[in-house]
Amino acid sequence: MFRKLMATDNDAAITVLRLVTGIVFFAHGAQKMLGWFGGYGFTGTMGFFTGMLHIPAPFAALAIGAEFFGGLGLIVGLFSRVAAFGIFATCS
């Protein structure tokens, strides 16, 4: 199972798609986690998620982490399938 998570294809199109998706979600997660690119940072986003959207704090923190670390994982190519699943779970 671990081998399946680490396996990659030698396809340039998949690599470009992974990098572009990773950059987009890293930037979106950096807004929420660090306050970069005009975002409100972790405390502001947590306040919005828990106060206005009534999302429980652990789920809000997981969503922020999934976008930030998932995007970073896609860019670097480390555990790309796990990172993509985290992003998918956040966006669906």
Side-chain angles (χ1 to χ4, degrees), residues 59-76:
F59 293 135
L62 282 173
I64 294 169
E67 288 183 6
F68 182 75
F69 294 114
L72 198 60
L74 286 177
I75 292 169
V76 174

Side-chain angles (χ1 to χ4, degrees), residues 42 45-65:
F42 187 77
T45 305
M46 283 294 289
F48 178 73
F49 280 2
T50 58
M52 296 294 291
L53 299 179
H54 304 293
I55 298 173
F59 293 135
L62 282 173
I64 294 169

Side-chain angles (χ1 to χ4, degrees), residues 3-19 74 76-77 79-81:
R3 183 183 199 128
K4 207 171 200 178
L5 289 175
M6 295 298 292
T8 59
D9 295 330
N10 290 331
D11 188 9
I14 297 295
T15 302
V16 169
L17 182 63
R18 182 179 52 81
L19 288 173
L74 286 177
V76 174
F79 293 110
S80 295
R81 290 184 174 118

